[in-house]
Structure formats: C-alpha cells, structure tokens
C-alpha cells in the first residue's frame, strides 16, 4: 500500500473491494461473513451505513461486535461481545437452512458466468493437478443464503467458460436450472473482482459487467475474462469515500491484517 | 466418584492403528494438538478421520503418514494458511483416500450420529459437484463397513409433492478427541465461546478423550449445569494439558501463535523442511512439556488471553508471509 | 438499538382470534401465565395450539373457551394435578379438536421447524396407537392448511435395507410466547436451568413474544454469549413481568405455588367453580399486577427462590389433596 | 401411613413399591425417571446400592444430585447440582434415541399381559369416556430405553385382556412382534403393582407373577387380574430393609410428598 498525504484521494485495490463489498450489505440484514475481505466489508458496513446488520460466523458466533479483526471465522475475536456463541449445527440449521441469512459472502479459485464457484480442485477431480481446501461452508452458503456476494481474483484462467468442479452452486446453467436442481432460494447477486463488479441478468442469470474499477476500461476487463462478458451496461466503480477509508484503516483493520 | 484422569501418552496409546477418529476444534482453534503430536510420536498408521473443518491437526497427521482415509469439508488454517500443505500434496500424489462433503453436510452427519439416527435430511448441496461427484468408489465403500454404503440419498418429502431433500448418512467413530477449557476428574466438560461441533462429534464416538486446559472441581462445574457440554457418561478419559492446543487459539486461555503457524506452513510446503519440523517439535522431544519448552516460555506468555477480551489484543498478528 | 419492550395487554392484542400459537415451559414450570390470563381477558377465540407438555397454561385457555384445536403429547401439572381438568372435560364433551403425539414426537416436530426442514426422522412410536390412530380426520386436515396433510410417514432408510424410520412433519406457528428469567430490551434472552423446548418452539414461529422476570443490560447479556437462548432476530417483543409464571415455578426466581395449584385443580373440576376462579383471578382484575395483589404479597414472598438452591427449600409442598 | 415404634417391622404399600422399584436399578446405570414413585425409587437407589446411577429427567436435567424430592420432571429441584441442564430435545435424541438410557420408568391407567400401557383415554378414542393426559414421554421411553420398569395400580379393570389404546408399546402381541413393528431395542422387564411383581417370559414375552406382596397370595393377585396370569413361579415380594426404610423416610421424602 502506498502512503499518501490525503487518504481520500488514493486507495488500494483491497480497500476498493472492501468498500464495494460493504455497500452490498443493507442495514438490518443478517450477514454470513467469511475470513478476509468479507470480514473487512461486514465490519465496515456495521460501522457506516448498516449499524444494525447482524454478523454471523459459521463457527458459532452470532451478532458479533467486532473490536479486533478476526483471522478465522472461529477466532476468539468473534466471541467477545457477541449476542450468542453456539456452534456450527446451530448456525447452519437454525439460521442458514431456516432462511434467516440475507447475504452470504463466498469466494473460490474459479468462477463461471453463472456464478458457480470452484474451491475444491483443478483438473480431474480424482487426480487433481491442484487441490484446494474444499467446500467448507461455501456450498451451504451458496445454496441457502437469500443471496450471495462473491469475491474473486479477476484473471482469465480463474473466470473460464467452464469450471473444473462446482463447489458452490450459483445459477448453475442459468434460467430456472437452480430451482430445478432442488435449491429453494438464493443465488449470487454480485461478483466483486479485482477488476470490476459483475451482476446477473434477471431471467437468464448470466453475468454482465456492471462496473470496471477506476483506471480500467470495460474492454480491459472483458479481455481478462475467460467467458463472453456483456459490457454494454458497464460504468466506473464508485470510489471509496474519505469516511469509509478512514474507518477501514483506523477502526476496521489498523493492524493491516488484510488491508494492503 | 471414579477419576477419569490419565496421562497423555497413555491416552494416545488407546487409539490403535486403523482406528476411526474425529478431532474437536475448527480450522485454527481448539484442536487437541498435544494429543495429535503424541499420535505421531507413537507412529499411528492408517487412521480414518472424519471432520468438518480441520486445520493443522489433520495436516500434520497426514504429513506424518498416519492417515489412510478422510471424510471432510475443508482442510486449512484460514488466514494463517489458506491450504493444508500436506493435505494438498497427499491428494495430488494419490497418497490418501478422501470424500468431500460441505461443512453443513459433515455437521449434519455428526448430528445424525449423535441423535441415534441413520441419516438426517438437509436442503444443501443440490446442483453442486459436492452432490454430483464421489471421490470414493463403490468398491472402496463396500470394502470398509465403516464407510457409508452410499455417499447420500435423495427423497421427496411425503408431506409435499415435489419437495426434495438430501439425506446424509450418520457418522460413527471409534474415538473422538476434544480439547476444552475446563473439565472435572469425573469427565464433565465446559467449553467457553463457540462449541464448534465438539458436542455432536463426541456423541457419535464409542470412546471420548478430552484434553483440558484446566481441571476444575465437581462443585464448580455443577454450579452452572447449563454450561456443561456433554452428559456425564459421554467422556471416558480426561487429560490435563495446559497449552494443549498450541499453536491454535483457545478462547479465554490463549491466542493463535502466528509465528509458529507461519513456520509450520512454510515448512509443510517442502518435504525436507516438513521432516525437520517434525523432528524438532515431535520426534525430537519426548513429550508435550518438552515441546512447550522448545516453543519457549516468552512466546507462550505473549499469547495468554487478556481476561477482558478472551484473547491477546496486542498480539502481532499481521500475516507474516 | 431499537427497544422491543412493550406492555402485556399490547402484546396479547397482537394475537388475533384463530391464530396458531405455542407457549413455552413444561407441565408446571415457566409457562407465560400472565400472558395467558391476558389472552383470556381479551376473550381470544379459536386459538390453535401446538405443544409438547403443557399444563395449566393450556388448561385454563381451553376452559375459558379460547381454543379450537390442539396438537400435543400431554396435558397435566404432574404431581400438582395429574390431569388438566378442563382439557379432560373438553375432550369428553367433544368441544375441542386434537391430535396426539408423543413428547419426543412433538419435540421432533418443533425441531424440524426450527431447522428449516419439512420433517425429521425418529425411531419412536412404532407399534403404539399414537402411531396407529389419528384423532383428526383427513377432511379436518385438508380443511386447514396449518395442519399437516399427514400425521406422519414411514420410510425405509436408503442406507440399510429393512431399517424403518418415522418421519414427523415440522411445526410452524404464527406466534410463540415464552416466559424467561432474563431478557434485554433488544430481545436477547437467557434461560436458567432447563431450556425445555423453548428455543426450538421460538425458532418455528413468525412472531416471538418474550415475557421476562428481569430486564438486564446488553453488556451483562453479552458477557456470557454462551448462555443466550436465541439469535437476536428471533424475538420480536419483550414484556417485563415479574412473577409472570405464577403459580408455576421459575428456576432461580420462585417456586411452584402449591396452594394456588390446588385451588385451580379443585375449581377446574366443577364448571361453576371454574367460572368463579376465572372471575376472581382473570376477568375480575384489570391486569396482572392486580392478580398478584389478589394472590397476596405474603404468599408470593414465601415462594421466592433461595439463591443457594434456585427454589424455596422450606416451602410446604405436600400434596394438599 | 401408620406410625410404628420400630419402622423396620412395618411399612406402607407405597414404601414397599418404592423399595421394589429401587432394587430394579443397578449401579452405574442411566435411569430415566418420572414423577412420583419412580423418583422415590431412583433417589433411594442412588442413596443405597446404586450410588453411581445417573438420573435423567425428561425436561432437561441430567445427572441430578437430588436434595429435595421434585414434584415434576421439570422441577427446579432437578437442576440444583445437576451435571447438565439442557432441554427435551437433547434428552430425547442424544440420550434416549441414541440408546444411552438403561432403564426407564413408566405407568398408566391400563396395562395388558404384554406390558402395553394406556395413558391416553378409556373407551372409543374419538369419543372417550375418560380422557387422560396423553403419552408425554411414556411412549418414547417405552420405545427407546433398553428396558422399562412399569408401575401400576393392580385392579382387574386396569389389567384387562385388551387395553383401549396402546400409548406405550410393551411386547405388543408377544413373541417377535415388538421387533417386527420397527422398535430397535427395549421392552418392559418388570411391572411393580400394588399387589405384586410381574415379569415376562423370555420368548413369548407374556407376563407372569414373579411375586405377591406380603399379606397376599398368588391366588389373590390372580383374582384381581383381568388377563390370565401364570402364578407358577410366584413367591413373596422381599420386604424393605430397615436401612431402606430409614433412607426413604428421612432422606428421600421427609416431607411425605409421595410417601404414604
């Protein structure tokens, strides 16, 4: 990260993405947050426009009032001042499956144009060239939250035409295919990438470029995307405000754990 | 009242080669690491592990060659190490058998076992390859009666036409080992902060071994029976092991050890370095007290939880990579 | 933080005639009695109740003519009154519609609703008439979409041939009312002692109303998040009602009132006496404070829990019949 | 109850039944106890020959160390000093259904010769002449405990050839019928009545008279039984010891809540 005299004038890519993710959270929503950028986003939202959003961590802490940024969704930092400390079974059943989670954050190694995500392995599933951690709760969040926000590294090979393994179902093959597969709610609403923001068309559920990050063009982003990306409706991603940056740097992550 | 207290080496010796086992904790928290190191020191082989979100507890067991088959949802230390390096290598080299579920899926399976049911229904995983693909072959499943004959099943709800549910098979293990904050000699256990899935993991095991930061009195524990994790008969053995989850965090006792976790993940990327790590921290020390001495008192002191927070608020945690 | 505190009459007014409702507590403990009296005072009709082991909370509602249909496992005050007298009379006179399940059956149904599932499997009830017989007809079930279309269903486990499971349908209610020891203005709740099935009953309701002995601060509640009963969004309204479960017991606050329970059961055996009881304790008093004044401060004092025990160890409890 | 100078020489029927029930509990067993006689029996067993028996109450208290006799299985008296206070779901699933309960106590208004119990209603189920509370947990204990001990009023009409409603399944129609119905374990082992003790033949699972209470004969008991009762193996019920009576009267129920 570059240090600048007027912090409102410059910001890192991580900061832009955290702010963009935070803005996807509405006040009073129930948010299922994962480690890293989602935590930055959720904590920032809670300290700016969404003071009553309720943050839930998969490992069992609910309604956390974060004082220090956690490095795991099971971090002791998620417990202090929490409304409730329970376990995974309670979070997954009573909250996620019961339809109480408004927005869940997920990410992965590969994403396709329907917002399906791979965080399992590259290559042949039985003899993978690269193995990742596996689903964790991502598949469940993708299936059962009312909507999901996806965080992604925007590189051609990471946004291919077809991903190697669907760990977390998005809109599957588009259209009604998600519902037909047996999923009763949810689906991705947005993909915040390192180059822009993708959203999904209402009926086809295909991703389109909603915005490109400052300094890039729609064309730049399309070139770095492995699937055909409709850029007709793209504009520039709104930049962070001075207040957002101030809170992000001084309240949310003063230790610079995730902020770069 | 019979005391269930035994020593760590004695407890680990109860687990035979080839046993089915689940370990408590979640990614980078409250794993029974002292017990894990002792399993490695005793050169266990062919262990069959069931877990939802293990971290370095499984990774080091896998790296040390103790594990034959796993059923899991995730294997990493989150921000402390975004992949279990030995897990990755074992899969890529074809040295381990595994089956993938989602985290909710594995939790549902433990829950079913705890409830005395052969399965539980869920609404997760439809449309995914977690649902569509199977890592274990039908032959592998059939050859070991401890593996469910089916990965899963789908039924239509008899209460509403067209409503599909995913049925996931119960887990039953021979052993479950938890690391907790407080236990009595008689085997009552209190967990502070999140319970993760420790309770349901314990309830589907034949033999539960608990390692505890602190041994408390029966009267203390029974003053707040709302906070006891398990029924009295659930726990077979109790081992007193302060710092027993190092380098992982134990709410109200100590924080993650970022330095040790960085060292582990760096070492575990390279075969020779991993062997050196094992040599230094496991094989080269006779017991867990000696391990802690190698880590050093000053480091351990710096991890101790501030009672106001339950963790160490001034710990230098920035990713050291 | 928005305050969820409202008054008792205002809270009861939220429940319309014909609503589906479950009440917290178990036989002779922790029922939301102040709320129940207020429902009667407001002359609610056609309520549809779901419960496992209610006691006088249901019995007085049934006797006062507020209830049309119930699904339950048990209706009595155990040793304080081994049958709900108005329940017995209502069934015998054909004045109430009901369906019988076992206690585990009803708990399973609440659990399924709380988990967001249409059913859960169990191994209970096979061979019994709880299983074989149905009180509600197919027509009655079909006529009210809030009644499950089937009492139950049986499936064979896909994981083992010949293994039969009983599937019980989830419960969903419009309202759930709990009486608890401690709540915050924001709706966080702590139950001391047994939870009964309060948590799962709350989680399958649209609107949860909590009456509490004590309103505590947010900071107090959040210091032990392990002891919070429900997620923050679960509770819609909080009412501060000390002695709100009288004549039933609330662990750590007060004991059963054996005299009042004897009076109730004696009165409820005879139609005219029951009407007099209602007149004296419900219709004849404008609110719960006035009810407590009729009961009398000396009696209430004698019920207060000794902090050492959580109940009143010297209370004269011998069955007064 | 009659007061006598030497309490070991005389005892009430309730005391005899409580002692007889207590003797059915072995040390180290997990006992699911209901209100009334079962509580007397469980507490007496805990304070005599079975100090390590674990008492579980349906409403959520587990491993209770009773100081004062409860009047309900949800009584605050079951919580004080308990090992664990949870709820019905935990007790029913993690303990009862999971097969951790060795012995459960149940009772009812009618019992047949296979130990099936009615605690629901008399007469036509849809238009009953007498309605009772209903199953409560009795059906579940009868289905899922490893064995059950039944407490019964011994009158001809309460032990009929056929009961009006099977609330709690015993051996059903005897033989293998319990297993065939889908029950995976359990079954009644004994019926402690106001006149004697009934046990069940190993294969037919039919009740026979194991003992008649002092002062009665096998013939007396048979006459008061509505079904054919085999009395060939009957002897007299062993009487309480002085120690048992002392503990029952002075430690278990000094308030005389259930003791008569």
């Amino acid at each position: 990260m570059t240090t600048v005299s007027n912090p409102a004038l410059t910001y890192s890519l991580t900061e832009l993405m955290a702010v963009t993710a935070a803005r996807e959270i509405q006040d009073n929503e129930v948010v299922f947050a994962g480690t890293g950028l989602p935590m930055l986003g959720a904590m920032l939202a809670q300290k700016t426009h969404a003071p009553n959003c309720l943050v839930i961590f998969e490992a069992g802490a609910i309604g956390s009032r974060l004082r220090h940024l956690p490095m795991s969704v099971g971090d002791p930092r998620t417990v202090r001042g929490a409304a409730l400390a329970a376990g995974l079974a309670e979070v997954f059943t009573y909250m996620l499956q019961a339809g109480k989670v408004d927005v869940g954050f997920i990410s992965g190694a590969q994403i396709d144009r329907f917002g399906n995500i791979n965080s399992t392995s590259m290559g042949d599933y039985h003899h993978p060239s690269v193995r990742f951690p596996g689903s964790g709760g991502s598949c469940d969040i993708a299936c059962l939250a009312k909507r999901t926000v996806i965080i992604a590294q925007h590189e051609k090979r990471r946004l291919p035409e077809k991903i190697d393994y669907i760990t977390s179902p998005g809109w599957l093959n588009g259209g009604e295919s998600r519902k037909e597969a047996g999923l009763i709610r949810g689906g991705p609403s947005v993909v915040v990438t390192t180059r822009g923001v993708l959203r999904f068309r209402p009926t086809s559920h295909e991703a389109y470029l909603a915005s490109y990050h400052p300094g890039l063009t729609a064309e730049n982003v399309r070139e770095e995307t492995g699937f055909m990306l409709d850029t007709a409706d793209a504009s520039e991603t709104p930049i962070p405000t001075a207040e957002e940056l101030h809170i992000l740097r001084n309240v949310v992550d003063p230790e610079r754990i995730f902020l770069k | 009242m019979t005391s269930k207290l035994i020593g760590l080496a004695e407890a680990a010796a109860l687990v035979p080669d080839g046993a089915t086992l689940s370990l408590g904790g979640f990614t980078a928290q409250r794993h029974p690491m002292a017990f894990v190191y002792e399993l490695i020191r005793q050169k266990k082989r062919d262990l069959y592990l069931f877990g939802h979100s293990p971290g370095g507890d499984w990774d080091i067991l896998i790296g040390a060659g103790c594990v034959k088959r796993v059923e899991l949802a995730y294997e990493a230390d989150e921000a402390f190490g975004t992949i279990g390096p030995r897990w990755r290598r074992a899969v890529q080299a074809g040295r381990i058998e595994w089956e993938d579920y989602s985290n909710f899926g594995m939790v549902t399976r433990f829950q079913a076992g705890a409830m005395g049911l052969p399965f539980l229904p869920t609404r997760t995983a439809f449309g995914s390859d977690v649902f569509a693909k199977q890592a274990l072959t039908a032959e592998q499943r059939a050859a070991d009666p401890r593996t469910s004959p089916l990965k899963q099943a789908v039924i239509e709800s008899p209460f509403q036409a067209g409503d599909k549910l995913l049925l996931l098979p119960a887990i039953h293990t021979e052993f479950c080992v938890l690391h907790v904050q407080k236990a009595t000699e008689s085997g009552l256990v209190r967990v502070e902060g999140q319970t993760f899935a420790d309770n349901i993991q314990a309830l589907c095991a034949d033999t539960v071994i608990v390692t505890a930061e602190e041994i408390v009195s029966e009267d203390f524990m029974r003053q707040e029976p709302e906070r006891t994790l398990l029924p009295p008969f659930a726990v077979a053995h109790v081992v007193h092991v302060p710092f027993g989850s190092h380098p992982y965090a134990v709410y109200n006792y100590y924080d993650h050890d970022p330095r040790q976790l960085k060292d582990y993940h760096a070492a575990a990327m390279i075969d020779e370095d991993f062997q050196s790590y094992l040599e230094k921290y496991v094989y080269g020390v006779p017991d867990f007290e000696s391990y802690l001495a190698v880590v050093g008192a000053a480091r351990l002191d710096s991890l101790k939880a501030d009672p106001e927070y339950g963790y160490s608020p001034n710990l230098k945690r920035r990713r050291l990579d």
Side-chain angles (χ1 to χ4, degrees), chain A, chain B:
Chain A
M1 204 188 95
T2 322
T3 315
V4 292
S5 52
N6 181 348
L9 293 181
T10 187
Y11 48 84
S12 71
L13 178 57
T14 308
E15 288 170 336
L16 176 67
M17 290 175 74
V19 166
T20 305
R23 290 173 181 171
E24 292 295 320
I25 299 169
Q26 312 297 314
D27 200 15
N28 293 306
E29 284 196 320
V30 177
V31 182
F32 203 111
T35 302
L37 257 170
M39 280 178 183
L40 291 177
M43 204 166 157
L44 176 61
Q46 212 174 32
K47 291 178 193 300
T48 54
H49 63 281
N52 302 306
C53 78
L54 183 84
V55 180
I56 290 181
F57 293 106
E58 180 176 318
I62 293 137
S64 299
R65 290 174 161 180
L66 297 178
R67 175 79 179 271
H68 298 93
L69 202 60
M71 288 185 73
S72 153
V73 297
D75 196 312
R77 285 158 187 78
T78 65
V79 178
R80 184 185 173 277
L84 168 56
L88 282 81
E90 290 79 9
V91 166
F92 281 126
T93 58
Y94 298 153
M95 291 165 224
L96 192 60
Q97 184 165 264
K100 308 294 171 64
V101 173
D102 294 301
V103 53
F105 285 83
I106 42 181
S107 61
Q110 289 182 316
I111 296 160
D112 70 17
R113 72 182 193 279
F114 294 112
N116 303 303
I117 299 176
N118 175 15
S119 56
T120 300
S121 58
M122 304 289 283
D124 171 24
Y125 172 58
H126 296 92
H127 305 94
S129 54
V130 185
R131 174 70 205 203
F132 303 118
S135 162
S138 293
C139 172
D140 310 306
I141 298 167
C143 289
L144 296 164
K146 289 185 193 163
R147 69 177 193 279
T148 48
V149 174
I150 299 170
I151 307 292
Q153 296 289 322
H154 203 132
E155 299 164 30
K156 205 159 189 161
R157 64 188 182 96
R158 286 171 172 272
L159 280 76
E161 185 57 37
K162 189 172 171 3
I163 63 178
D164 295 359
Y165 183 99
I166 301 177
T167 310
S168 306
W171 296 109
L172 294 176
N173 303 312
E176 296 294 300
S177 59
R178 180 181 169 93
K179 198 174 165 187
E180 286 159 10
L183 295 170
I184 58 165
R185 72 173 81 89
S189 67
V190 64
V191 187
V192 178
T193 81
T194 47
R195 293 177 192 271
V197 174
L198 280 56
R199 294 189 185 274
F200 298 85
R201 297 292 180 199
T203 308
S204 70
H205 293 126
E206 255 190 284
Y208 68 94
L209 187 67
S211 74
Y212 43 85
H213 293 337
L216 301 176
T217 65
E219 189 50 31
N220 293 152
V221 178
R222 184 164 55 194
E223 281 168 5
E224 294 298 330
T225 306
F227 53 80
M228 279 297 298
L229 185 63
D230 177 357
T231 61
D233 297 329
S235 56
E236 196 176 78
T237 307
I239 63 169
T241 67
E243 190 209 358
E244 285 167 331
L245 287 176
H246 176 79
I247 291 172
L248 204 49
R249 294 169 184 175
N250 298 293
V251 181
V252 173
D253 191 11
E255 301 171 68
R256 297 294 185 273
I257 288 169
F258 296 117
L259 277 187
K260 304 245 160 87
Chain B
M1 171 106 37
T2 319
S3 172
K4 295 178 176 175
L5 274 180
I6 60 173
L8 189 59
E10 188 186 353
L14 295 169
V15 179
D17 285 352
T20 50
L21 171 67
S22 89
L23 300 170
F26 180 90
T27 68
Q29 288 79 215
R30 230 166 30 69
H31 296 304
M33 293 307 292
F35 193 92
V36 163
Y37 298 140
E38 189 58 33
L39 288 176
I40 297 171
R41 202 175 285 120
Q42 294 187 13
K43 298 205 162 53
K44 304 295 179 187
R45 287 296 173 266
D46 296 328
L47 296 178
Y48 186 161
L49 306 181
F50 292 81
H52 42 93
S53 292
D57 53 337
W58 279 30
D59 202 58
I60 196 167
L61 278 170
I62 292 168
C66 305
V67 182
K68 182 179 182 196
R69 183 178 290 183
V70 299
E71 303 194 21
L72 84 172
Y74 183 87
E75 167 50 67
D77 285 334
E78 295 186 74
F80 295 103
T82 55
I83 178 70
R86 305 316 297 178
W87 155 245
R88 165 173 280 178
R89 276 158 189 75
V91 172
Q92 291 171 193
R95 280 198 306 266
I96 193 166
E97 300 168 355
W98 82 91
E99 188 60 87
D100 278 295
Y101 287 88
S102 71
N103 221 343
F104 183 20
M106 288 305 291
V107 166
T108 297
R109 299 185 61 201
F110 282 118
Q111 181 94 50
M115 291 172 78
L117 291 170
F119 61 81
L120 274 176
T122 81
R123 292 195 178 283
T124 197
F126 288 119
S128 72
D129 284 330
V130 178
F131 173 79
K133 295 190 179 175
Q134 309 211 6
L136 294 175
T137 63
E139 292 70 39
Q140 283 176 311
R141 290 185 172 274
D144 189 337
R146 302 169 309 171
T147 307
S148 170
L150 302 172
K151 180 174 179 177
Q152 66 213 353
V154 176
I155 62 161
E156 187 181 42
S157 169
F159 303 97
Q160 195 187 324
D163 190 19
K164 274 202 315 183
L165 282 298
L166 176 65
L167 306 187
L168 293 172
I171 290 170
H172 173 84
T173 63
E174 290 157 275
F175 293 88
C176 170
V177 185
L178 307 178
H179 185 70
V180 305
Q181 281 92 347
K182 293 177 169 72
T184 64
E185 277 196 44
S186 71
L188 298 182
V189 165
R190 181 180 299 178
V191 160
E192 295 167 355
Q194 318 99 314
T195 52
F196 307 135
D198 283 13
N199 55 336
I200 51 179
Q201 288 180 230
L203 289 165
C204 45
D206 292 331
T207 303
V208 177
I209 299 167
V210 161
T211 66
E213 289 296 324
E214 203 174 333
I215 303 300
V216 298
S217 74
E218 198 71 20
D219 283 348
F220 174 88
M221 190 68 82
R222 287 174 184 257
Q223 258 160 34
E224 269 187 283
E226 300 93 338
R227 299 202 52 186
T228 306
L229 188 73
L230 294 165
F233 51 75
V235 176
H237 306 286
V238 177
V239 189
H240 184 207
V241 193
F243 273 105
S245 189
H246 182 270
Y248 295 112
V250 173
Y251 178 64
N252 282 342
Y253 283 76
Y254 46 89
D255 216 322
H256 305 99
D257 185 341
R259 168 60 56 189
Q260 187 79 19
L261 286 165
K262 177 187 155 52
D263 289 351
Y264 176 78
H265 279 273
M269 308 271 254
I270 296 152
D271 291 353
E272 298 71 33
D273 292 358
F274 178 70
Q275 289 309 321
S276 307
Y277 188 95
L278 281 184
E279 201 50 55
K280 177 172 179 187
Y281 291 108
V282 187
Y283 298 129
V285 289
D287 52 31
F288 191 65
E289 288 70 25
S290 311
Y291 163 94
L292 292 178
V294 174
V295 173
R299 173 107 63 84
L300 295 177
D301 253 7
S302 76
L303 306 176
K304 281 189 180 159
D306 178 332
E308 163 83 13
Y309 293 91
Y311 53 87
S312 173
N314 300 317
L315 184 66
K316 290 270 166 277
R317 298 184 300 138
R318 192 172 175 185
R319 286 174 71 181
L320 306 160
D321 52 1

